[in-house]
Every structure is written in C-alpha cells, then in structure tokens.
Amino acid sequence: MFKVISKIEQAYDLNVVMYFENQIKICEHISDVNKKLIEKLIAKKEFTAKKGEVLKVEFLEGEYLISMLFLGMGKEEEFSDNVYREVIFENLSKEKGSVLISSENAKLSNYKILAEIVGNINYNFDDFKTKKENEVEKSIEVHLFFIEQIEDINESIILANSTDIARKLVDLPANIINPESLSKRSIELGKEYGFEVEVIDEKGAEELGMNLLLAVGRASITKSKLIIMRYMGNSSSEEIIGLVGKGLTYDTGGLCTKSPDSMFDMKTDMAGAASVIGAMCAISKNKLKKNVIAVIPACENAIDGNAYRPGDIIKSMNGKSVEIINTDAEGRLVLADAITYIVRNEKVTEIIDLATLTGAIMVALGTITTGVFSTCDERYSCLEKASSEHGEKVWRMPLFDEYEELLKSTVADVKHTGGRMGGSITAAKFLQGFTEGLPWIHMDIAGTSYDSGVKWNKKGATGVGVKSLYTYIKNR
Ligand code: BES
Ligand code: MN
Ligand code: ZN
C-alpha cells in the first residue's frame, strides 16, 4: 500500500507533486510543449501553492496520458508536520488506484507521515457491508519517489498496521467483540506478532481477589477476563513498563443505565484495551529492547438481576473497600484491580493506563486532545514529545491532593465518584489510590478515540495512543 522508490518503473493513475508557496518548479522530465502548457495553466489559474491549493493537469506525454496534481503546502515558514498531515489526508482521501508522490524538497518527502496517512486512508470499516456489484476497490497504492537514501520504513509501516488493528477492534460492534472474543483475538495477535498472552478467567480473578472487576462484569452473559500480554525484550534491564487498557466491550451504564443516545457508541469503551493491544503488536514486531507487560480488564457492564448496585460496598484486590455510587462509573473499578494486579503480580516499575474513562474529559478538552494525568514530570514530557511526533495532542491535567477529599466515604475506605465537578480529575485520583507510589501516567481517551474530528483522521475509531505509546516506550 505504501512504498518508497528511487526509480520510476511504472505508469501511475496520478502523479502528485508538492510545493511550498511560490516555490513552483516544473519537473525536468516533462517535454517542452507540456511544460509550456503547465506554465500557462499555472499562470491562468493563479496557482501559487497556498496551503491546500490544488491544480490538476492532464496531458499526453508520448503514448501516455499523464494526470498530475500540483499540491500546495503553503508558506515554508508556516509549515509543520500537522499541515502536511492535513493537506495529504484531505487530498489523497479522494483518490484511488496507484499514486506517485514526489517533491524536490526533502521536507515534503516525509515517509513516516505518509505511511501513517496512507494507512488511515486505506483503513475501512466495511466488514458488514454487502458489496454492491459495481462497487470498486477504494484503496490506494502510494509510492513516494525519493532520491535520498532513507532508514528502514518498516517501522512506520508496522506502526500504521498496528494502529489499524486497534481501530478495527474498536469499530467492531459489541455483538462481535466481547471479553471472550477479545481474549481470543489477543492470543492470535500474540502468536502473529511475538508476545506472550495469558488469560485469567472469573475463577482465577476470584482467587486473586479482583472483586471490583468481577462486580462490574457480573451481569453480562459473556464472562469477564483478565488478559495479560508480556514482551520481555531486554533481559539485562530491571525495568518493566506496565500498560493497562480499559476493556469494557460494552457499557450500558449498568443499573444506572445510560440514555439511548449516550449508550449508542459504547462499543468503543474498550478503546484503551485496543490501543494497548496495538502498541504491543508494534513493540514486538519492531523488537524493541524493552520489557513491557500489558493488562486488560475485559468485561461488559450489563444489566441483569445479579448486577452490582449503587450502595454496594466491595473489597478491591488492593484491600481497600469501595462504596459504589454510580454503576456507570465502572471503568475506574476494573482499572483499579488491573493496576493492583500489574503492580503486585507482574512487578512493573511504571504504569501507563489508557481509558475511555469520563464524559467530563470531553467537556474539558473536546475531542481532539487527550487528557493526561501523571505523577512524573519527566515521563509526562517524554509522552508529550512522543505524541506530538505522531500528531496526537495531549494536555496535562492536575492531580492536586485537594481533589481526593471528594472521594471520602462515610461507610467504606473510599467512594468511587466525586460528583460532577472535576469529574475527570476525581476519576484519576481514584485510580492513583491503587498505583502504590509507582510512576504513573493516565490517559483519558474518551474524546479522542472515536469520531475525533481531527483533520487527518477518518470518522470512526482513531487508534489513538498506539503510536504514542510505541514511541514513548522506544525512547524511555
Ligand atoms: N465509558 C464512559 C465514559 C465515556 C463517555 C466514554 C462518552 C466515551 C464517550 C464511562 O464509563 C462513564 O460512563 N463515565 C461516567 C462517570 C460518571 C457516572 C461519574 C460519565 O462520564 O458520565
Ligand atoms: Mn460507564
Ligand atoms: Zn465506561
């Protein structure tokens, strides 16, 4: 789907040439008469290569009908990776077939970003559409013509594929993805990409004392699972990075049932799990010299006679008793037990969790920025850098002690919600209570994981976090 070439050996459906504003130079290989044609058209249409400006020119070169798309990237001094992402995504999304991309400017030949974008364009969630007879193949094959010798592009391609794996898991509906099938898929991916997978069932979880996880999943016909993925790429290091992904394969809200409108997208409540799985694929396929263990509490927040209730008091794996306030705040409960498990039983040295945790994070930051909470400045910076490398926006949220007051319970050690105000922060504070002082990053991806409206993302699942986690771990 995406390749870098240094010699042109075939004809293409479309030739895309990128320019900075007022830096247009027509390629040497074009015959004089066509060069003149292009020059005249550029003058007539007043094409100067402003950001997003396009000029399509078609002409005969010998036997061949050449279609060229001149693509404006705007002023060089205003250029950024995100401008590149935006313009490329916008324009390549409209194409199909084979596309040759070239530019005389190395800055505009960013193969890493092209691999990302082409991956996203070719990703389609159409598994359940019966193909119409005249429906044509929508994918594009993109070749980047680049004279410079480049590093291995495999890493970028694997990152794009791993992001697609996460997207697909999120887009698939809850009648396909449940704790059981998610476990099976993790096992398959572990075999294919080279990481070890262990699945703990309800009985095992009971023995471990994971009562919060069990309570949340209790009303569902498909039983809760704890999925553990291990990749130990550096035996001489003591460090083990622990990843935790919220794996609610559906969230009805439980007895505190959601309204139909807010329930509709709740198949996506396992996006944290999906991104963690995608990241594990990328980490093992690219053979990073790191030790990474990921845990997914997978369950469904359903409604039934045996559902857990507001007012219940439940003993967590950690030992703390938790007063249940609202059964729709289920994510933090399953994450709490998963965090205890990964700290105590897997002996990780730092924790990163990803979760579609709160509606409140969308009120605070909208859908283009992930809210990040961290107990470690250095690690937060490292994550911020990794995220921005991939065009994923993050913003740091506070963990001030005062917020913890809001979780005081009169009947148990802690209650699990702290009211409407600062809802994302009290959720994070609740989780922090289970991290046992380890360096910790919490990413609330409720807004950014689905239909984010980011200009270079398709509708549907975004796979947010896969690339950022990968790059964060690679750089640690
Ligand atoms: N899964 C939701 C959060 C969510 C909302 C994710 C919208 C994606 C889109 C979470 O389990 C939830 O329901 N949170 C509640 C917490 C509240 C009851 C304290 C919320 O945010 O309303
Ligand atoms: Mn919920
Ligand atoms: Zn949820």
Side-chain angles (χ1 to χ4, degrees), residues 156 365 421:
S156 308
L365 299 176
M421 298 295 165

Side-chain angles (χ1 to χ4, degrees), residues 246 251 253 258 269 301 327-331:
K246 174 175 171 182
D251 180 12
K258 287 181 184 293
D269 213 16
N301 190 16
T327 60
D328 197 12
E330 81 300 332

Side-chain angles (χ1 to χ4, degrees), residues 246 248 251 253 256 258 262 265-266 268-269 301 326-332 355-362 416-420 423-424 426-427 444-447 449-450:
K246 174 175 171 182
L248 262 289
D251 180 12
C256 307
K258 287 181 184 293
S262 43
D265 280 338
M266 283 304 128
T268 70
D269 213 16
N301 190 16
N326 184 323
T327 60
D328 197 12
E330 81 300 332
R332 63 198 75 181
T356 47
L357 200 62
T358 64
I361 202 69
M362 288 191 262
H416 80 141
T417 62
R420 250 168 52 77
S424 305
T426 44
D444 194 335
I445 58 170
S449 53
Y450 194 73

Side-chain angles (χ1 to χ4, degrees), residues 360-361 364-365 370-374 380 395-400 424-425:
I361 202 69
L365 299 176
T370 296
V372 182
F373 300 78
S374 181
Y380 175 77
W395 197 258
R396 191 167 183 180
M397 300 285 290
L399 284 168
F400 300 124
S424 305
I425 307 172

Side-chain angles (χ1 to χ4, degrees), residues 59 70 109 115 286 334 345 424:
F59 52 87
F70 297 103
S109 302
N286 282 321
V334 304
N345 294 36
S424 305

Side-chain angles (χ1 to χ4, degrees), residues 151-415:
E151 309 155 45
D152 197 6
I153 70 158
N154 262 337
E155 184 184 46
S156 308
I157 303 231
I158 290 167
L159 271 182
N161 290 343
S162 305
T163 307
D164 283 353
I165 288 170
R167 286 189 183 116
K168 184 52 74 67
L169 285 170
V170 173
D171 278 328
L172 283 169
N175 57 329
I176 308 288
I177 296 291
N178 56 45
E180 180 83 34
S181 57
L182 187 64
S183 309
K184 287 214 176 103
R185 184 77 185 117
S186 306
I187 293 169
E188 274 170 27
L189 288 166
K191 283 197 187 117
E192 190 180 337
Y193 285 81
F195 54 88
E196 183 198 306
V197 183
E198 183 190 345
V199 178
I200 293 179
D201 61 10
E202 284 197 333
K203 196 163 159 281
E206 214 174 300
E207 281 160 16
L208 289 164
M210 305 185 83
N211 298 315
L212 293 175
L213 171 63
L214 291 167
V216 171
R218 204 162 64 199
S220 172
I221 200 93
T222 30
K223 295 298 159 204
S224 305
K225 307 274 182 202
L226 188 75
I227 306 168
I228 303 139
M229 296 169 279
R230 300 185 186 91
Y231 170 79
M232 305 300 267
N234 186 353
S235 54
S236 61
S237 166
E238 304 269 277
E239 304 254 308
I240 306 175
I241 299 171
L243 304 179
V244 180
K246 174 175 171 182
L248 262 289
T249 60
Y250 202 72
D251 180 12
T252 65
L255 292 181
C256 307
T257 314
K258 287 181 184 293
S259 70
D261 277 354
S262 43
M263 201 187 296
F264 186 76
D265 280 338
M266 283 304 128
K267 67 169 185 182
T268 70
D269 213 16
M270 35 60 73
S275 294
V276 163
I277 293 171
M280 289 303 284
C281 292
I283 291 161
S284 11
K285 193 81 177 186
N286 282 321
K287 299 206 162 49
L288 293 191
K289 289 195 169 46
K290 304 284 170 177
N291 303 318
V292 188
I293 297 182
V295 166
I296 290 168
C299 65
E300 181 182 348
N301 190 16
I303 308 164
D304 188 43
N306 67 344
Y308 81 125
R309 318 160 189 81
D312 284 358
I313 300 172
I314 302 168
K315 191 169 168 199
S316 62
M317 178 179 179
N318 164 293
K320 276 197 239 190
S321 61
V322 179
E323 182 188 10
I324 303 303
I325 306 297
N326 184 323
T327 60
D328 197 12
E330 81 300 332
R332 63 198 75 181
L333 298 174
V334 304
L335 289 169
D337 273 350
I339 290 171
T340 302
Y341 172 85
I342 208 169
V343 172
R344 294 191 183 166
N345 294 36
E346 301 293 339
K347 309 264 184 300
V348 299
T349 49
E350 66 176 278
I351 313 158
I352 309 173
D353 78 78
L354 275 86
T356 47
L357 200 62
T358 64
I361 202 69
M362 288 191 262
V363 176
L365 299 176
T367 57
I368 62 162
T369 307
T370 296
V372 182
F373 300 78
S374 181
T375 52
C376 172
D377 295 345
E378 188 212 328
R379 285 179 172 84
Y380 175 77
S381 306
C382 186
L383 179 75
E384 187 180 41
K385 193 167 158 284
S387 300
S388 87
E389 236 177 79
H390 298 291
E392 296 186 343
K393 291 182 167 49
V394 296
W395 197 258
R396 191 167 183 180
M397 300 285 290
L399 284 168
F400 300 124
D401 290 340
E402 286 86 338
Y403 291 98
E404 216 177 305
E405 305 282 314
L406 300 167
L407 297 173
K408 281 207 170 122
S409 165
T410 50
V411 294
D413 296 334
V414 67
K415 58 181 189 174

